Amino acid sequence: DDAEVDDGSRSTIGAIVLDEAATAEEELGYQDQDLSATGDDENEADAKAAKRAQMAADYAKARIPKPPLAEANFLMRRLSDDDQAFMRRALLIGLERGGSIGKTPNELLRLAKGEGHRFTVRQVASAGMKDGSVTFPLGSVDVEVGARCRFFVRDGEFAKKEVEALWTGYKKKELSETLEGKDVSPVTGCMVFPTLDRGSKLFGGKAGYESGVVSTFLPGVPSISGFYANGVLGKLDGTIGGAPVGPNENMLHGSASCYVVFRSKTKRPFFSPKQAMIDAADAAAAKAAAKAAELELAAEDEKRSTMSKSSFGSEGQVAPRSPDGELIVRRREIHSGRSLSVSTVEWS
């Protein structure tokens, strides 16, 4: 559920209050996303909808300004054990980036449409045990009264959907530009720079999940390179993420993945050592096959020549001729009943 900052100064949030309008808008977004669910998915979607409705009802009973820590403790009681343990280790709060008017409230649908991220998530640096306020790292953000915020936890399944939605929006944007007649240069390479917490542990023990998704959406790229880092520098919404919806300056991301896509303005094919080796092996195989066919043809000619020579005499034998130089031919008479046929056998 979304909340509004009721009391804030600089990088500190003193109190928040439930944003019923944003919560209702989010509910509509989830309903649109769950329309395609069938079978067990429908039951799961109904359970989630009932859970969200119960939370909304509980919030409506006490829609008064509350300290962020008190709200976090209220939410933790409804989370799984893993999510509760994560919130105790690190409290993440996202602040909305600009207005959301005319934008899709659901985060995954936004990314799939190329509308960019809705929230900028930051980790709480300190908290006031007396008043329940939370403070972000100094200088990282200026909290404004009325800004929408949301509590976040890390979830592997959602992270998978987020990566796929991000690249789906990228491909849609590229396709729309192509249909509009814009000159879109071909992709020649891609590098992936994830942070250390986005490994196989986050994606359910599957190694190389993000690079596999990139290979699926960029089949023409021969290889995906990159490395893990303690943090990445870049904009929250770039060419891949979609059009920025708010402040989009460069920042240091402590938990994120940065994708760098290379294109060729000259549209020259991208050199791939692996493809070059494959082409060289194919050329060598074709050359060897041609050589083998040539040797086989030569052997067949030699065989035919040997058979001809053995039929008409040994090798080097001179054709018989008369003293005046005329070629001597053999005549063979064949008697068959009353008819007589004469054939001339010439020297070969």
Side-chain angles (χ1 to χ4, degrees):
D1 296 322
D2 292 337
E4 287 185 358
V5 177
D6 186 69
D7 180 20
S9 61
R10 295 272 179 190
S11 56
T12 301
I13 299 178
I16 58 176
V17 63
L18 174 66
D19 188 351
E20 295 181 352
T23 303
E25 189 180 25
E26 184 75 11
E27 290 294 329
L28 293 176
Y30 277 109
Q31 291 176 8
D32 293 340
Q33 186 181 15
D34 295 338
L35 286 178
S36 59
T38 57
D40 295 337
D41 294 338
E42 289 184 354
N43 298 330
E44 184 179 356
D46 292 341
K48 290 182 178 180
K51 186 176 181 180
R52 288 194 295 269
Q54 181 63 33
M55 291 185 66
D58 293 342
Y59 272 108
K61 293 179 181 178
R63 192 183 180 277
I64 58 176
K66 297 176 286 292
L69 283 184
E71 192 69 13
N73 290 328
F74 173 80
L75 290 175
M76 283 177 57
R77 294 198 300 268
R78 297 181 173 273
L79 300 178
S80 62
D81 295 339
D82 293 339
D83 291 340
Q84 289 185 28
F86 177 82
M87 287 192 70
R88 291 189 180 99
R89 291 195 308 267
L91 183 59
L92 303 179
I93 298 180
L95 296 177
E96 192 176 40
R97 305 168 59 239
S100 61
I101 299 177
K103 299 293 184 180
T104 307
N106 184 271
E107 190 76 8
L108 295 179
L109 293 179
R110 289 172 63 93
L111 293 177
K113 293 180 180 180
E115 296 180 358
H117 293 81
R118 181 182 178 186
F119 291 90
T120 302
V121 183
R122 292 179 172 86
Q123 182 173 344
V124 174
S126 61
M129 301 308 296
K130 293 183 179 180
D131 59 357
S133 62
V134 295
T135 302
F136 298 108
L138 295 176
S140 62
V141 61
D142 289 333
V143 180
E144 297 180 0
V145 176
R148 289 177 179 174
C149 63
R150 179 184 294 178
F151 292 95
F152 283 83
V153 294
R154 288 197 183 99
D155 180 69
E157 292 301 323
F158 185 86
K160 291 181 180 179
K161 296 177 181 178
E162 184 182 25
V163 173
E164 295 176 358
L166 183 72
W167 281 97
T168 300
Y170 168 76
K171 295 299 290 185
K172 285 184 178 179
K173 180 180 178 182
E174 187 179 47
L175 179 61
S176 63
E177 291 180 353
T178 303
L179 295 177
E180 291 174 0
K182 296 182 180 179
D183 188 14
V184 180
S185 301
V187 177
T188 57
C190 181
M191 300 189 73
V192 182
F193 303 105
T195 52
L196 294 174
D197 62 333
R198 294 179 64 87
S200 58
K201 186 177 181 180
L202 177 65
F203 296 106
K206 187 175 182 180
Y209 176 80
E210 290 188 272
S211 58
V213 173
V214 175
S215 300
T216 302
F217 283 90
L218 300 178
V221 177
S223 63
I224 309 298
S225 305
F227 53 83
Y228 286 94
N230 286 322
V232 293
L233 289 169
K235 299 179 179 181
L236 185 58
D237 291 324
T239 305
I240 295 179
V245 297
N248 198 38
E249 66 276 0
N250 288 314
M251 62 179 68
L252 175 62
H253 303 271
S255 177
S257 290
C258 180
Y259 306 101
V260 181
V261 178
F262 298 91
R263 296 180 179 273
S264 174
K265 288 187 176 181
T266 58
K267 294 183 174 56
R268 291 185 299 177
F270 181 73
F271 174 76
S272 171
K274 180 179 179 180
Q275 189 62 37
M277 293 177 61
I278 295 175
D279 294 342
D282 293 342
K287 185 177 181 180
K291 185 66 175 179
E294 184 179 350
L295 293 176
E296 184 179 359
L297 183 59
E300 184 68 21
D301 292 343
E302 182 67 20
K303 180 180 179 181
R304 291 179 179 274
S305 177
T306 303
M307 291 177 60
S308 299
K309 291 177 181 179
S310 62
S311 299
F312 295 100
S314 60
E315 184 177 358
Q317 183 178 359
V318 181
R321 293 183 180 276
S322 62
D324 58 356
E326 293 292 335
L327 183 66
I328 298 177
V329 297
R330 299 175 183 178
R331 301 179 65 85
R332 181 176 57 186
E333 296 181 358
I334 300 177
H335 297 269
S336 175
R338 297 180 180 179
S339 61
L340 175 64
S341 60
V342 180
S343 62
T344 301
V345 180
E346 298 183 353
W347 186 267
S348 173

